[in-house]
């Protein structure tokens, strides 16, 4: 739900193609680390409080473990949380503010590694060019959009599209 909310920036209750492309833009290799940090902060700040709290990090860790089909003992998860907050929560108030987050990510750049999909350089350049050509037929645009969505669902298997798609004749 968190990614959906970030992609649905206008809070329409659905993601149209423009929202989808703008949302994916943060994963492009040419997007600044600063923008990636901001997106990741919003992703972890599930309640929108402006802080990342321990329970939010725990939910994200558990979700990532489930996604990768890994199981860790509760004690191990708590140890991960303890270490994360020891390193990130500089003022030790039990939550991570944006400044602390930037500092933590700067010291641990691997946290943003999953925020860059190298192949998007090619995909965005070519698909967007094709979709914006006025002479492009809607059938061809649909095939390109279908292929883009297929590639993204392969990369993000838990990112489920809830939409109706007309059958495409190939």
């Amino acid at each position: 739900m968190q990614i959906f909310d970030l992609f649905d920036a206008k809070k329409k209750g659905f993601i149209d193609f423009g929202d989808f492309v703008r949302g994916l833009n943060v994963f492009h290799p040419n997007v600044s680390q600063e923008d990636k940090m901001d997106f990741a902060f919003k992703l972890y700040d599930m309640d929108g409080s402006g802080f990342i709290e321990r329970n939010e990090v725990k939910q994200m860790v558990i979700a990532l473990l489930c996604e990768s089909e890994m199981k860790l003992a509760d004690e191990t998860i708590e140890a991960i949380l303890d270490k994360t907050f020891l390193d990130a929560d500089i003022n030790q108030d039990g939550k991570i503010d944006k400044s602390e987050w930037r500092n933590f990510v700067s010291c641990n750049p691997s946290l943003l590694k999953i925020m860059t999909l190298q192949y998007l350089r090619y995909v965005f350049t070519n698909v967007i060019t094709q979709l914006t050509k006025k002479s492009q037929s809607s059938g061809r645009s649909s095939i390109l959009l279908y292929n883009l969505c297929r590639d993204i669902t392969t990369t993000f298997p838990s990112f489920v599209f809830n939409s109706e798609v007309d059958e495409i004749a190939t």
Side-chain angles (χ1 to χ4, degrees):
M1 186 65 161
Q2 189 68 9
I3 290 179
F4 179 90
D5 291 340
L6 291 173
F7 278 37
D8 181 23
K10 295 178 185 170
K11 307 299 179 221
K12 300 176 293 201
F14 62 91
I15 299 172
D16 60 27
F17 183 70
D19 297 330
F20 181 69
V21 171
R22 279 186 293 280
L24 273 184
N25 184 53
V26 76
F27 296 99
H28 193 280
N30 293 344
V31 171
S32 72
Q33 290 299 99
E34 184 88 7
D35 288 344
K36 291 176 188 292
M37 279 188 225
D38 288 344
F39 184 89
F41 184 86
K42 291 175 189 170
L43 191 61
Y44 278 94
D45 180 19
M46 295 179 189
D47 64 5
S49 66
F51 299 97
I52 301 172
E53 298 170 49
R54 187 179 179 94
N55 65 322
E56 292 169 323
V57 176
K58 185 174 185 173
Q59 287 178 23
M60 192 64 81
V61 168
I62 291 169
L64 291 170
L65 290 171
C66 288
E67 181 72 28
S68 62
E69 298 180 2
M70 289 179 60
K71 294 184 180 173
L72 293 178
D74 289 340
E75 299 80 31
T76 306
I77 293 172
E78 290 301 322
I80 291 169
L81 295 172
D82 291 343
K83 177 67 172 144
T84 300
F85 275 81
L86 180 67
D87 292 348
D89 185 17
I90 296 168
N91 64 9
Q92 299 179 346
D93 62 354
K95 53 191 176 187
I96 301 167
D97 63 31
K98 216 171 220 185
S99 174
E100 291 171 324
W101 174 252
R102 289 179 199 278
N103 183 56
F104 182 63
V105 172
S106 295
C107 294
N108 299 280
S110 64
L111 290 170
L112 294 183
K113 187 174 183 174
I114 62 169
M115 297 289 297
T116 301
L117 301 175
Q118 291 297 331
Y119 84 96
L120 284 182
R121 175 177 287 127
Y122 170 79
V123 171
F124 273 137
T125 301
N126 290 301
V127 172
I128 302 307
T129 300
Q130 292 297 321
L131 289 174
T132 55
K133 285 185 179 178
K134 296 201 185 310
S135 63
Q136 191 68 20
S137 71
S138 63
R140 178 76 175 134
S141 295
S142 297
I143 292 169
L144 291 171
L145 177 57
Y146 170 80
N147 288 336
L148 174 61
C149 292
R150 185 198 61 220
D151 290 347
I152 289 161
T153 21
T154 301
T155 304
F156 300 105
S158 65
F159 191 92
V160 178
F161 293 95
N162 194 5
S163 61
E164 293 180 25
V165 179
D166 294 333
E167 220 172 286
I168 301 171
T170 56

